[in-house]
Amino acid sequence: MAKITLENLAHSYLPNPSAEDDFALKELNHDWADGEAYALLGSSGCGKSTLLNIISGLLIPSQGRVLFDGQDMTHAPTAERNIAQVFQFPVVYDTMTVRENLAFPLKNRRMPADEIARRVQKVGAMIGMEAELGRKARGLTADAKQKISLGRGMVREDVNALLFDEPLTVIDPHMKWELRTQLKKLHHDFGHTMIYVTHDQTEALTFADKVVVMYDGRVVQIGTPQELFERPAHTFVGYFIGSPGMNLFDAELAGTAATVDGARVELGRAYAARGRRVQLGVRPEFVRIGTGDAGIPARVRRVEDVGRHKIVRLEVAGREVSAIAGEGTRIPADANRITFDPEGINVYADDWRVAPEGEAA
Ligand code: ADP
Ligand code: MG
C-alpha cells in the first residue's frame, strides 16, 4: 500500500501541445492518501481514465511526476507498480474457467496452489459466482464477465493500490449496490488505497470517503459528500451533484446583499468579486416558494411528486429553477415569489466559489 503523489502532472495526447485546451489533463498536484477510498467523478471525456492510466503506468504523462511513497515511478513499467486495475470493458479469457480467470493474477505471481484456491473461493463468493467457478467464461453474459473482471482486480491482497475504471457499467442496479458493498468491505478489511472511477454521483457518494470531482480535464473539488453538497467549489460541482442540481442566478453584489432580477437578497456577509461574473448558487433544498412582494418574482410551471418529496419547477426571468418541497407542503395557488434560506446560498465569481470576506476559502 502506498501514498500516491501527483506532482505538476499534466497530459496531452498531442505531440506538441501549446494551448491549455490541448491537454486532456490540466496541471494537477494531489496526494492520494495511503489507505483511503476515493471516487473519481465526472462526465464522459473529462479525463478520468487518462488520470487512472497514468497512475497505473499504461500512460506516461507529458509533464510532471508520479510518486509512490515518495519514490519516483513516472517511468516505471506497470508490473513494477504493483497495482490492480479493472477496466470498463472486461478483459476475460474465454477459454479459461471462471476459477482460472480469477486465479490468473495469483498464478502469475507464483503463489502456492492452496493459497490461490482459498482466495479464488473467497472472491468468487464476493462477486456472487461461487456456483459458476467451474464454468468456461465463453458464453457467459456481459454482466457475468464484468463481475469476473472485477473479481480479478480484487483477488490480490498485496497491491499498492486498486484502480477501478467504471467497473459496473452493465450490472443491474441491485447487483451494483451489492458489489459496491463488497468493495467497501474489501477496503475495510485490507485498507488498500482505492480509486473508483464513475460518472454516476450516487455510486461516487455511496462508495467513497472522499470524492474527487473532475471537469474538463481539471480536478475542481476534492471533498466529502457533505462538503460537495453544502459548499460546491465550482458551479459544475453544484450542478452535477444533487438531484436536481444547484440553481444558479445571475447577481450583482452590493455590500452584504445581492440583487437578483431586481430583488434584494440578503447575504449577511460581504464578498470580493469585483470585475467578475457573479452568480448565486442555491440548491433546490434551500429555495422557498411564497406569495406577496418579498423575494424574486417566479411562476410555478409544474410539480413532480417523487415520493419522499416534491420537485417544483418554476420559471424565473425566463429560466427554469427547481425547488424541493416536503411531501406535505402545500404550494400556494397564487405563488409568485421565491426566497432562499441564507445558509444555503453560495456566491460564485466566474464559476468558482468565493468565500465571504474574513473566511478561508
Ligand atoms: P473519461 O475517462 O473521463 O471519459 P478520458 O480520459 O478517456 O475521459 O478522455 C479525456 C480526453 O482525452 C477526451 O477528450 C478524449 O477524447 C481524449 N483521449 C482519450 N484517450 C485518447 C487517446 N488515446 N488519443 C487521443 N485522445 C484521447
Ligand atoms: Mg473513461
Side-chain angles (χ1 to χ4, degrees):
M1 280 157 270
K3 174 177 95 167
I4 300 171
T5 304
L6 307 178
E7 199 181 84
N8 303 325
L9 194 78
H11 188 70
S12 174
Y13 288 100
L14 304 175
N16 297 302
S18 49
E20 197 170 46
D21 271 355
D22 294 343
F23 284 82
L25 196 64
K26 270 95 173 165
E27 192 169 301
L28 165 70
N29 285 283
H30 180 56
D31 281 341
W32 306 84
D34 188 5
E36 188 112 43
Y38 295 91
L40 184 55
L41 175 69
S43 18
S44 178
C46 73
K48 303 181 299 294
S49 295
T50 302
L51 181 53
L52 223 56
N53 292 342
I54 289 173
I55 293 174
S56 67
L58 292 174
L59 205 56
I60 305 297
S62 33
Q63 178 197 310
R65 301 202 300 163
V66 180
L67 311 172
F68 287 10
D69 285 333
Q71 193 190 341
D72 191 342
M73 298 296 275
T74 318
H75 297 276
T78 50
E80 257 173 50
R81 301 188 187 207
N82 205 15
I83 277 179
Q85 185 171 10
V86 176
F87 301 94
Q88 178 170 358
F89 304 102
V91 186
V92 171
Y93 306 107
D94 268 345
T95 55
M96 294 185 190
T97 61
V98 175
R99 178 180 284 112
E100 287 163 345
N101 266 285
L102 293 176
F104 195 75
L106 304 179
K107 277 221 174 92
N108 262 351
R109 305 216 149 224
R110 305 189 190 290
M111 185 176 279
D114 55 340
E115 178 70 4
I116 293 181
R118 184 187 67 80
R119 292 209 197 163
V120 166
Q121 198 64 36
K122 191 172 137 200
V123 167
M126 287 176 93
I127 60 172
M129 292 190 72
E130 270 172 306
E132 287 140 299
L133 285 174
R135 277 188 61 176
K136 284 261 192 289
R138 178 183 294 125
L140 289 177
T141 57
D143 68 322
K145 288 186 180 179
Q146 203 161 41
K147 284 192 271 180
I148 297 171
S149 195
L150 182 74
R152 244 197 353 236
M154 296 158 74
V155 82
R156 284 177 55 203
E157 291 170 3
D158 60 339
V159 289
N160 276 323
L162 284 169
L163 312 181
F164 301 99
D165 197 347
E166 313 210 29
L168 307 177
T169 43
V170 302
I171 309 269
D172 74 76
H174 177 75
M175 192 63 201
K176 252 188 193 166
W177 181 84
E178 176 66 34
L179 291 172
R180 271 204 314 273
T181 307
Q182 295 292 351
L183 282 180
K184 280 167 85 162
K185 185 177 175 313
L186 188 77
H187 180 254
H188 180 263
D189 292 351
F190 292 101
H192 295 121
T193 310
M194 277 194 189
I195 308 177
Y196 184 98
V197 171
T198 174
H199 60 265
D200 178 332
Q201 57 160 319
T202 312
E203 270 199 10
L205 299 176
T206 52
F207 173 76
D209 315 320
K210 285 243 175 74
V211 181
V212 178
V213 186
M214 286 187 74
Y215 171 63
D216 192 21
R218 222 182 281 280
V219 170
V220 288
Q221 187 165 11
I222 300 168
T224 62
Q226 189 183 352
E227 286 162 349
L228 300 179
F229 180 82
E230 290 177 358
R231 297 279 173 263
H234 189 276
T235 54
F236 174 77
V237 179
Y239 142 86
F240 196 65
I241 292 171
S243 178
M246 185 173 75
N247 300 293
L248 285 168
F249 302 89
D250 290 328
E252 275 167 48
L253 294 175
T256 60
T259 310
V260 175
D261 294 325
R264 189 178 161 85
V265 177
E266 291 299 336
L267 303 173
R269 310 278 289 271
Y271 293 81
R274 198 179 303 275
R276 292 186 287 166
R277 181 171 59 105
V278 173
Q279 292 175 300
L280 303 186
V282 186
R283 291 202 176 273
E285 288 82 351
F286 302 107
V287 174
R288 300 286 159 247
I289 301 166
T291 58
D293 307 326
I296 301 163
R299 201 152 61 91
V300 175
R301 299 301 301 269
R302 59 178 197 281
V303 179
E304 297 161 20
D305 211 322
V306 291
R308 279 168 297 120
H309 55 247
K310 294 173 192 162
I311 298 174
V312 186
R313 308 285 184 178
L314 303 114
E315 187 185 315
V316 174
R319 301 194 25 224
E320 185 175 271
V321 165
S322 302
I324 288 181
E327 204 178 4
T329 312
R330 204 181 58 85
I331 313 297
D334 56 345
N336 64 347
R337 299 278 161 171
I338 53 168
T339 54
F340 308 141
D341 293 349
E343 76 275 14
I345 304 175
N346 284 292
V347 176
Y348 294 87
D350 292 342
D351 290 312
W352 291 94
R353 180 173 178 269
V354 196
E357 283 184 356
E359 186 183 294

